[in-house]
Amino acid sequence: MESIDDIRERFIEMIGMVTQAEGMPRISGRIIGLLIFDGCAYSFGELASQLQVSRGSISTNARMLVERGVIERVARPGDRQDYYQICENPYDSILRGVSERALRAAGDIGRIAGALPPDQSQTRQRLDEYADFYRAVAEGVKIASQRATGRSDDPAA
Amino acid sequence: MESIDDIRERFIEMIGMVTQAEGMPRISGRIIGLLIFDGCAYSFGELASQLQVSRGSISTNARMLVERGVIERVARPGDRQDYYQICENPYDSILRGVSERALRAAGDIGRIAGALPPDQSQTRQRLDEYADFYRAVAEGVKIASQRATGRSDDPAA
DNA sequence: CAATTTGTTCAGTATTGACTGAACGTAATA
DNA sequence: TATTACGTTCAGTCAATACTGAACAAATTG
């Protein structure tokens, strides 16, 4: 029988690999995995020792995750250390980032399409289609976000 | 006034950067950009010379893109070379890959959640939520795919 | 058959970027 | 004020991987 610690380890490493595959640093994913699995707040130092990484890495990755709204810093009275825990709905924040990137790509492509002279309508049409694709992605992600969270802004809930 | 060639160049490089940001090789994106912009079929050799990369790179990247259903090989009677053009709806294929990866992550997480002993219901719940998130992403992407393509399988179209 | 063309493979290179660890600033404590 | 604890920063290291280019097999042409 596999121990809980083994399962935990497996989960944390797995999330690390998944986030790496999504283009994020592996340590970011391991922080997320740890905080989701244990569901409590950990201090800066605990994160470093639990994940066996340098404090520099924790500093960089924790800041990025806070900035993206995935984890949050919480204070403990009488304790000078920084504590971190997973946000209420981290998934929303993650998807917002994906959506933003897609919209930016759509905007970039649309701008290039707009720069084409009028006699290049065929090309412009292909580029506009491409931009629409990215807009559709952004839209689909937004829908996923609504479904994954408590559907707080979904009238049909 | 910016020439069409300059715009073309800018577009191709831009798509290269976008795909790189999505975790794919930059050359793959440049091939896609070239084929979308010009909208015609190019030979293996033309791809290499137009993009100024080695034939080895074209071989590897073209094969991957064909395998993913983004571009396709077309034959020309009396010409031994391989010709490549963008697929009918490359976006569908790209999104299918994204969706599959999300579902795989959801399955992995769900399996780990299932391995937890019954007294870990809190943890299991958090993990199940996480798995649901990835399922929602897969679903949202599928919706995006339907919207971006000709909505061929959307009864409301 | 020799020469040429075409695409693949793979060993080597170059580059990117994650990660480390030491130096540093700051704040608390004695 | 000296010391300790904490988080940040940044120069340097290391690993992953995109890319090159030469060697190769197969097909074609003369």
Side-chain angles (χ1 to χ4, degrees):
Chain A
M1 180 53 186
E2 191 181 18
S3 77
I4 293 181
D5 273 4
D6 286 348
I7 296 176
R8 196 178 85 122
E9 177 94 6
R10 206 146 57 81
F11 177 72
I12 292 171
E13 295 310 318
M14 197 267 266
I15 303 302
M17 298 310 282
V18 168
T19 62
Q20 188 170 39
E22 288 168 358
M24 274 201 273
R26 186 163 145 248
I27 291 187
S28 286
R30 301 211 302 142
I31 292 175
I32 294 172
L34 174 62
L35 294 181
I36 285 183
F37 196 97
D38 287 353
C40 59
Y42 277 123
S43 73
F44 188 99
E46 283 169 333
L47 289 178
S49 63
Q50 293 244 15
L51 299 177
Q52 295 276 39
V53 296
S54 71
R55 296 192 305 158
S57 278
I58 296 297
S59 179
T60 305
N61 285 275
R63 180 146 35 91
M64 186 214 293
L65 290 173
V66 166
E67 209 244 318
R68 289 196 188 191
V70 180
I71 69 176
E72 59 186 355
R73 263 180 54 192
V74 290
R76 286 202 178 172
D79 194 332
R80 187 150 68 85
Q81 279 188 91
D82 289 352
Y83 281 80
Y84 294 97
Q85 67 188 16
I86 201 82
C87 281
E88 183 73 24
N89 52 359
Y91 312 123
D92 239 17
S93 311
I94 295 171
L95 292 185
R96 197 169 311 129
V98 174
S99 180
E100 274 165 17
R101 253 182 300 158
L103 284 181
R104 190 173 323 128
D108 287 349
I109 295 172
R111 228 169 335 243
I112 290 185
L116 284 168
D119 65 324
Q120 299 289 318
S121 67
Q122 298 272 326
T123 302
R124 180 183 295 206
Q125 190 179 332
R126 280 193 300 276
L127 267 55
D128 282 336
E129 245 174 68
Y130 198 2
D132 282 342
F133 158 71
Y134 274 111
R135 272 186 277 272
V137 168
E139 189 61 27
V141 163
K142 210 172 292 173
I143 291 170
S145 174
Q146 286 167 7
R147 294 193 181 189
T149 67
R151 295 163 182 77
S152 52
D153 49 4
D154 178 353
Chain B
M1 180 55 186
E2 192 181 17
S3 77
I4 293 180
D5 275 5
D6 286 348
I7 296 176
R8 195 178 86 124
E9 178 94 5
R10 206 147 57 81
F11 177 73
I12 292 171
E13 296 309 319
M14 197 267 266
I15 302 303
M17 299 309 283
V18 169
T19 62
Q20 188 170 38
E22 287 168 359
M24 275 201 274
R26 187 163 144 248
I27 290 188
S28 286
R30 301 210 305 144
I31 291 174
I32 294 172
L34 174 62
L35 293 181
I36 285 183
F37 196 97
D38 286 354
C40 59
Y42 277 123
S43 72
F44 188 98
E46 283 169 334
L47 289 178
S49 63
Q50 294 245 14
L51 299 177
Q52 295 276 40
V53 295
S54 70
R55 295 192 307 159
S57 279
I58 296 297
S59 178
T60 305
N61 285 275
R63 179 145 36 90
M64 184 215 293
L65 290 173
V66 166
E67 208 243 318
R68 290 197 188 189
V70 180
I71 69 176
E72 59 187 355
R73 263 180 55 191
V74 290
R76 287 204 176 170
D79 193 333
R80 186 151 68 88
Q81 280 189 87
D82 289 352
Y83 281 80
Y84 294 98
Q85 66 188 17
I86 201 82
C87 281
E88 184 72 25
N89 51 1
Y91 312 122
D92 238 18
S93 311
I94 294 170
L95 291 186
R96 196 169 310 128
V98 174
S99 180
E100 274 165 17
R101 255 182 298 159
L103 284 182
R104 190 174 322 130
D108 288 349
I109 296 172
R111 224 160 304 137
I112 289 184
L116 284 168
D119 66 324
Q120 300 289 319
S121 67
Q122 298 274 326
T123 302
R124 181 183 294 209
Q125 193 178 330
R126 280 194 300 276
L127 266 55
D128 281 338
E129 243 174 68
Y130 198 3
D132 281 342
F133 159 70
Y134 274 112
R135 271 186 278 273
V137 168
E139 190 60 29
V141 163
K142 209 173 291 174
I143 291 170
S145 173
Q146 286 167 7
R147 295 193 179 191
T149 67
R151 296 162 180 76
S152 50
D153 49 5
D154 179 354

